[in-house]
Amino acid sequence: MGRGPVELKRIENKINRQVTFSKRRNGLLKKAYELSVLCDAEVALIVFSSRGKLYEFSSVGMNRTLERYQRCCYTPQDNSAIDRETQNWYQEVSKLKAKYESLQRSQRHLLGEDLGPLSIKELQNLEKQLEGALSQARQRKTQIMIEQMEELRRKERHLGDINKQLKNKLEAGQGSLRAIQGSWDSTPLVDANNTFPAHPTQSNSMDCEPTLQIGYHHYVPPEGSTVPRSVACESNFIQGWVL
């Protein structure tokens, strides 16, 4: 009993549809290969599945076959359109080339080269162009120099302010040093009871750390003092080597 005709419609069952696609795709690729071999034909086959997956076959190369297909599909009207577009591009290239040559010639003229073919009027125009360019260059140079001078003046003022601040700090420090030296000079070495006070660098408080004084201050007894010279020398020695 033979098979009946298969109704050509979309297979609703997803699994059956996928199985049928796989079988018939393989058969189609096999037939394309057999056709290219048996008949020496240039065959190209492109298949996209429902999921977007690509399957292809080409007997001589897909790009080569597609290019041949595009050449065969062009009509004379399309060829004329391409010719017109090519001609337009050729004219555009010619214009750009002429403009480029003109710019090169103008550059040589500005550099003082190839001035022989120029007429007097052209030379006068060239002279005006050079004068205008020179004037603009000088103006720009002057502007840059003025900006640099302003920047240097700002730096000078800033450094002057810093110098004044340092000078004020130095004068304040010197004033404090003079005050300390004045307090040392006003400290008597012998009090009214002919006793020797502590050295100015020492403190009466026991909380201060001990210091070592190397050398001694030369003590000269005042006029009319009853302190013997030997006691004065001894006080110099003791006061000079206080720990």
Side-chain angles (χ1 to χ4, degrees), residues 1-2 6 14-16 29 59 67-68 83 103 108 110 138-139 144 149 167 182 195 201 210 215 219 221 240 242:
M1 185 175 179
V6 179
K14 185 177 180 180
I15 297 176
N16 294 338
L29 294 174
S59 59
E67 290 177 358
R68 184 176 179 182
D83 293 339
L103 291 174
R108 289 195 300 270
L110 292 174
R138 287 175 177 172
Q139 290 178 1
I144 293 175
M149 291 176 63
K167 185 177 180 181
T195 59
T201 58
Y219 173 71
V242 173

Side-chain angles (χ1 to χ4, degrees), residues 194 219 221-228:
N194 293 329
Y219 173 71
E223 296 181 0
S225 176
T226 59
V227 180

Side-chain angles (χ1 to χ4, degrees), residues 75-217:
T75 60
Q77 183 178 0
D78 296 334
N79 292 332
S80 62
I82 293 175
D83 293 339
R84 285 196 301 270
E85 186 177 1
T86 304
Q87 187 176 3
N88 292 334
W89 281 112
Y90 179 76
Q91 293 177 356
E92 188 70 20
V93 170
S94 299
K95 292 179 181 178
L96 292 175
K97 185 177 180 180
K99 187 175 182 180
Y100 173 72
E101 292 177 355
S102 176
L103 291 174
Q104 280 190 331
R105 187 166 52 254
S106 299
Q107 183 179 7
R108 289 195 300 270
H109 293 165
L110 292 174
L111 294 176
E113 300 175 358
D114 196 13
L115 299 178
L118 298 180
S119 62
I120 296 179
K121 187 175 181 180
E122 292 175 344
L123 291 174
Q124 290 177 351
N125 293 332
L126 180 61
E127 185 179 4
K128 291 180 180 179
Q129 292 179 1
L130 292 174
E131 290 178 353
L134 182 60
S135 176
Q136 293 180 359
R138 287 175 177 172
Q139 290 178 1
R140 180 55 183 167
K141 183 184 71 172
T142 304
Q143 182 180 0
I144 293 175
M145 292 177 64
I146 293 174
E147 292 176 355
Q148 291 179 352
M149 291 176 63
E150 291 295 333
E151 182 66 21
L152 292 175
R153 289 194 184 99
R154 285 195 294 268
K155 291 182 179 180
E156 182 182 5
R157 289 193 295 268
H158 180 64
L159 293 176
D161 295 338
I162 294 176
N163 189 17
K164 289 180 181 179
Q165 293 177 2
L166 294 175
K167 185 177 180 181
N168 294 333
K169 291 181 180 180
L170 181 61
E171 291 177 353
Q174 289 179 352
S176 301
L177 181 61
R178 293 194 194 98
I180 294 173
Q181 290 177 352
S183 64
W184 288 356
D185 295 338
S186 62
T187 302
L189 296 178
V190 179
D191 57 6
N193 298 325
N194 293 329
T195 59
F196 299 95
H199 194 269
T201 58
Q202 291 180 325
S203 175
N204 293 330
S205 177
M206 296 303 293
D207 295 335
C208 299
E209 296 181 357
T211 56
L212 177 62
Q213 175 67 34
I214 300 176
Y216 57 89
H217 296 281

Side-chain angles (χ1 to χ4, degrees), residues 29-39 57:
L29 294 174
K30 182 179 178 181
K31 291 296 182 181
Y33 171 72
E34 292 175 354
L35 179 62
S36 64
V37 174
L38 295 175
C39 302
F57 168 80

Side-chain angles (χ1 to χ4, degrees), residues 13-28:
N13 188 288
K14 185 177 180 180
I15 297 176
N16 294 338
R17 185 169 65 245
Q18 185 65 28
V19 172
T20 302
F21 172 77
S22 179
K23 291 180 180 180
R24 298 203 175 223
R25 180 201 64 206
N26 294 335
L28 183 61

